[in-house]
Amino acid sequence: TQPRSACNFWVLTTTETISYPTLRTLEKFTVLGSDHPIIATVGEEVVLPCQLSPRMSAIDKTVRWDREQISSPVHLYQHTSDVIKAQDEAYRGRTALFKEELEIGNVSLRLRNVCASDEGLYGCFVKSLIWYEGTTIRIIVTGTGSIPLIYLDRYEGKGIRLGCKSSGWYPKPEVMWSDGKNQELISVSETIEKEDDGLFSVNCYIITEDSSHKPTCHIQNNLTGSNKSDKIILFVSISGDFFPSVSPWLVAFFVLLGLVLVIISLAIYYWQKKMKAVFKKKKKNFGRSQRHVESYRIICSDCLSHSPDVTLDPNTGNPFLIVSEDLKSVRVVSERQSVPERPERFDPYVCILGSEGFTSGRHYWEVEVEGKNAWYLGVVRESINRKGWVTVSSENGCWTVWLWNGTYEALSSPPTKLTLSVKPRKIGVYLDYEGGRVSFYNVDTKSLIYTFNDKFTEKILPLYIPSFKEGGKIDKPLRICP
């Protein structure tokens, strides 16, 4: 197959092939996708399957995901790393490959936070030095909106006009009214509009003059068959007097007055309940904060007196890292450095270990992260894989926290998203070997960020991963405090 689009989107055919007389059969591969469209739900995550056949490593190949009518790639993997600066703005921070499965030829794309605009045809293209192939996959987006809200719009002659509204639907839904006997009621007006986010909102009206009716509003997503409906409870307890033949305005006045009083009462009740909850939460957070400060003071007094002078081990640093002469700071550079090949050196993973390892005791050190947009910090077991891609998680013996794309996370299994009220300028790392504990602190506020609890059975080493800024720009170095 070969590309035939002017905007870098590969449209693949099955009748055209390129043959190379000198190409060995074992160097050829086919890219397999999905014969059926992939259904993706708004706000959730979807995986676009793509696999090399026969199974072979894709680590050293170029993997490009494209989309029709978009010139920039949805995702580009090249020279063993993702090329963020080339990625289309609409997909930055939302896509990822399964790096740990590239070795077996899995080049599937994970797309987070699906939105309506993601619907369309995608191309998966893989290229080696002498061969290339691709396939196409279609995404169909669906979204089930909010529970319909039924409300009294106004009086209409001897009857009342009821409205039904809901939002967050995709594709365009179907709306229907029914009475208490599942008989369809004819709507007098229906408006279905597309909002700025591409999702549809619904507003539909009926007029009823029969007090025995208990109207129900049904909204259905025809793609998935999902349905949401709501009944108007106003008719359950009222009599036919609600539909007067003489003076509907007087009835309307008292009904609306009653509704207003009920709404005001509910508003006061929920406001008081919310204020109590806020007060209780503040009290609880204050107590927790005080405990964290006290815990931090105990750690400092316990560890600072006997912790070693923590430094970096240049022999473990990736060739794209430069370590300062005092072995206290490390930064990423754009060109590979000429360094001796060592079994303990990380390659291709861009990280470095501390010189000191720990097999017992309690230890504490601090690292400056001020002004950085991305970083990893923590500890790892000594037997961590140095030659190949590393899945950084507590399950693999890596107890770390990170900042990436403005989000703080503890890389547990699965990762834990962290909400920090104050952006840290300096991170404190506390290791209790016998206690099986690794804690991270915001040094400025003396508050606990996260704690891992595990069991250590081998030597534990500090881990540092400085990162590029978004767009490939060089970031500030990580520095260990004296």
Side-chain angles (χ1 to χ4, degrees):
T1 61
Q2 59 183 342
R4 61 180 190 185
S5 173
C7 59
N8 296 331
F9 178 79
W10 283 269
V11 178
L12 306 173
T13 68
T14 58
T15 60
E16 301 177 0
T17 59
I18 298 177
S19 61
Y20 296 86
T22 62
L23 189 64
R24 292 178 298 159
T25 303
L26 293 178
E27 294 174 329
K28 296 182 180 180
F29 55 85
T30 301
V31 178
L32 305 178
S34 174
D35 296 332
H36 306 286
I38 304 298
I39 304 297
T41 303
V42 172
E44 297 184 5
E45 181 179 290
V46 67
V47 174
L48 304 185
C50 194
Q51 173 70 46
L52 299 186
S53 178
R55 288 194 174 189
M56 63 179 67
S57 175
I59 292 178
D60 58 344
K61 296 176 175 57
T62 296
V63 180
R64 179 176 177 128
W65 281 88
D66 277 321
R67 183 179 171 185
E68 56 181 347
Q69 300 178 353
I70 296 181
S71 59
S72 302
V74 171
H75 193 97
L76 179 61
Y77 171 87
Q78 195 173 41
H79 304 310
T80 72
S81 62
D82 298 322
V83 184
I84 304 299
K85 63 181 179 181
Q87 188 178 25
D88 188 88
E89 288 282 352
Y91 291 91
R92 289 193 181 179
R94 297 201 295 133
T95 62
L97 299 179
F98 295 85
K99 297 291 182 65
E100 66 277 7
E101 297 187 19
L102 289 176
E103 182 65 35
I104 59 174
N106 182 2
V107 292
S108 301
L109 183 72
R110 180 167 58 194
L111 177 60
R112 303 184 185 92
N113 194 21
V114 172
C115 52
S117 60
D118 291 333
E119 186 168 82
L121 191 64
Y122 291 73
C124 174
F125 181 81
V126 182
K127 176 183 177 184
S128 67
L129 293 176
I130 54 177
W131 189 254
Y132 64 90
E133 260 288 3
T135 187
T136 57
I137 300 172
R138 179 170 295 278
I139 289 183
I140 297 178
V141 175
T142 180
T144 301
S146 60
I147 295 176
L149 170 65
I150 296 179
Y151 60 96
L152 175 63
D153 183 52
R154 66 173 183 261
Y155 279 89
E156 194 86 14
K158 295 182 180 181
I160 58 173
R161 176 181 166 109
L162 298 176
C164 171
K165 61 182 178 180
S166 177
S167 60
W169 294 86
Y170 195 88
K172 186 177 180 179
E174 182 178 295
V175 188
M176 185 189 76
W177 286 87
S178 66
D179 62 11
K181 300 178 182 178
N182 292 323
Q183 297 296 316
E184 183 175 354
L185 300 176
I186 305 301
S187 60
V188 296
S189 175
E190 179 180 301
T191 303
I192 302 179
E193 297 179 332
K194 181 179 286 190
E195 305 293 344
D196 293 339
D197 57 5
L199 305 181
F200 289 92
S201 63
V202 175
N203 217 339
C204 185
Y205 300 92
I206 61 167
I207 296 175
T208 180
E209 299 178 358
D210 189 348
S211 63
S212 65
H213 284 171
K214 298 175 182 178
T216 302
C217 178
H218 307 267
I219 303 180
Q220 178 169 307
N221 185 325
N222 290 325
L223 179 63
T224 62
S226 58
N227 181 295
K228 286 190 176 181
S229 61
D230 196 17
K231 294 182 179 179
I232 180 167
I233 61 174
L234 186 64
F235 289 91
V236 175
S237 60
I238 64 175
S239 67
D241 293 337
F242 186 76
F243 298 86
S245 58
V246 180
S247 180
W249 299 109
L250 184 60
V251 175
F253 171 77
F254 285 109
V255 170
L256 290 176
L257 180 60
L259 289 175
V260 169
L261 293 176
V262 170
I263 292 172
I264 292 175
S265 299
L266 289 175
I268 294 174
Y269 169 75
Y270 283 111
W271 180 81
Q272 291 176 338
K273 187 176 180 180
K274 183 177 180 180
M275 293 307 296
K276 288 181 180 179
V278 170
F279 177 76
K280 184 176 180 180
K281 183 177 180 180
K282 286 184 177 180
K283 185 177 180 180
K284 183 178 180 180
N285 290 339
F286 177 76
R288 185 188 295 118
S289 176
Q290 291 299 102
R291 291 194 298 272
H292 289 168
V293 171
E294 185 62 26
S295 172
Y296 179 81
R297 289 173 180 169
I298 293 173
I299 288 171
C300 289
S301 62
D302 181 43
C303 296
L304 290 180
S305 59
H306 60 267
S307 286
D309 183 20
V310 179
T311 57
L312 299 166
D313 182 0
N315 293 330
T316 66
N318 180 276
F320 285 92
L321 297 178
I322 291 183
V323 181
S324 63
E325 292 184 3
D326 63 357
L327 305 182
K328 287 288 189 177
S329 68
V330 58
R331 62 186 176 91
V332 183
V333 292
S334 57
E335 295 184 0
R336 186 182 180 93
Q337 304 299 297
S338 178
V339 293
E341 174 60 30
R342 299 179 182 274
E344 66 269 27
R345 188 181 303 282
F346 284 92
D347 195 1
Y349 214 72
V350 185
C351 57
I352 188 171
L353 299 179
S355 301
E356 300 77 13
F358 310 110
T359 57
S360 63
R362 294 185 291 272
H363 309 277
Y364 177 83
W365 62 95
E366 297 177 351
V367 184
E368 292 181 0
V369 296
E370 183 177 8
K372 289 188 62 58
N373 291 328
W375 48 262
Y376 292 70
L377 288 177
V379 298
V380 297
R381 59 191 178 197
E382 188 178 34
S383 62
I384 186 175
N385 179 25
R386 313 289 179 94
K387 304 299 181 184
W389 292 104
V390 181
T391 300
V392 181
S393 72
S394 57
E395 190 176 47
N396 294 326
C398 305
W399 299 273
T400 61
V401 296
W402 76 342
L403 167 63
W404 187 258
N405 287 333
T407 300
Y408 294 91
E409 285 186 333
L411 298 184
S412 51
S413 298
T416 302
K417 188 173 182 179
L418 305 174
T419 302
L420 305 183
S421 56
V422 178
K423 186 176 182 180
R425 297 185 301 173
K426 188 183 297 183
I427 301 292
V429 185
Y430 172 67
L431 168 66
D432 181 356
Y433 191 95
E434 286 80 9
R437 174 185 173 192
V438 181
S439 296
F440 298 87
Y441 288 85
N442 184 335
V443 176
D444 297 316
T445 61
K446 298 180 176 58
S447 58
L448 177 66
I449 295 175
Y450 190 80
T451 293
F452 290 94
N453 291 290
D454 216 321
K455 184 178 181 180
F456 306 131
T457 58
E458 59 179 277
K459 182 181 286 187
I460 301 299
L461 295 160
L463 173 72
Y464 310 91
I465 306 179
S467 300
F468 281 89
K469 285 185 178 179
E470 187 176 348
K473 298 179 181 178
I474 301 298
D475 207 346
K476 294 181 65 176
L478 279 177
R479 181 164 185 82
I480 305 171
C481 298

